[in-house]
Amino acid sequence: HAPNTWESLFVASMLWMYMAVGHRSPELVQVPLPLLFFGFVALSTLVFVAACAVSAPLAGIPLRRALSTFGYVFLPLEFGTALIAFGDDALELFGAVQPAASVLLAAGFVWSVVVGVSVLRTQSRGGIRAVLAGLPLGAILLSLLFVWLQWYASGPVFDPT
């Protein structure tokens, strides 16, 4: 299966969709859901394209190739956030939100790093270029991890419903 630009872009764009659905932010509760949902999807897409625009020259590859492959780096973390966003009510029922979120986010993050190393190593022109190209992608992964950990794994969970 060859990398697909639209599929890779879709994966990266859906990252913040889960944030719109599963957020636990008192400030975001005030934003109408359609605006929050579509705004986050658009913002996620722009952040991903900007990260690829920075990472592609660092990796020594064309932008289109970066767009076609780098989105897959986010898929494992996205899987964990999707389970949390859509399963938080069931987790709350069993009193397992914090432990489950911690495990899902940690596993998704580590898995994303492993996928990222593999993708960057095979796509970049050299090891140093792969490391440099991974910095913007790693910054996005870390930022997402910390936001989700703050919402779900650090003390009492704010439930906007």
Side-chain angles (χ1 to χ4, degrees):
H1 170 72
N4 181 305
T5 302
W6 292 113
E7 184 179 69
S8 178
L9 193 61
F10 177 79
V11 167
S13 297
M14 292 297 103
L15 270 172
W16 290 12
M17 180 208 57
Y18 297 115
M19 291 178 83
V21 172
H23 76 84
R24 293 294 180 245
S25 169
E27 295 81 21
L28 292 177
V29 171
Q30 306 304 321
V31 181
L33 185 59
L35 178 62
L36 184 66
F37 183 86
F38 292 112
F40 270 22
V41 170
L43 189 57
S44 183
T45 304
L46 292 174
V47 167
F48 174 66
V49 170
C52 285
V54 172
S55 293
L58 293 173
I61 61 174
L63 177 60
R64 182 173 175 90
R65 189 162 156 201
L67 289 170
S68 296
T69 57
F70 291 173
Y72 296 105
V73 170
F74 301 104
L75 191 55
L77 183 59
E78 184 175 327
F79 179 73
T81 60
L83 289 176
I84 295 167
F86 294 119
D88 63 337
D89 290 336
L91 294 171
E92 285 175 9
L93 180 68
F94 296 109
V97 173
Q98 290 176 321
S102 299
V103 169
L104 288 167
L105 292 170
F109 178 77
V110 170
W111 188 8
S112 281
V113 169
V114 170
V115 170
V117 167
S118 176
V119 167
L120 288 164
R121 191 171 43 119
T122 59
Q123 298 299 317
S124 300
R125 294 184 180 179
I128 298 297
R129 285 182 169 263
V131 170
L132 293 174
L135 293 176
L137 301 175
I140 293 171
L141 280 172
L142 274 174
S143 298
L144 289 169
L145 176 67
F146 289 148
V147 167
W148 279 90
L149 284 173
Q150 179 184 0
W151 286 343
Y152 282 95
S154 63
V157 175
F158 170 76
D159 188 356
T161 56

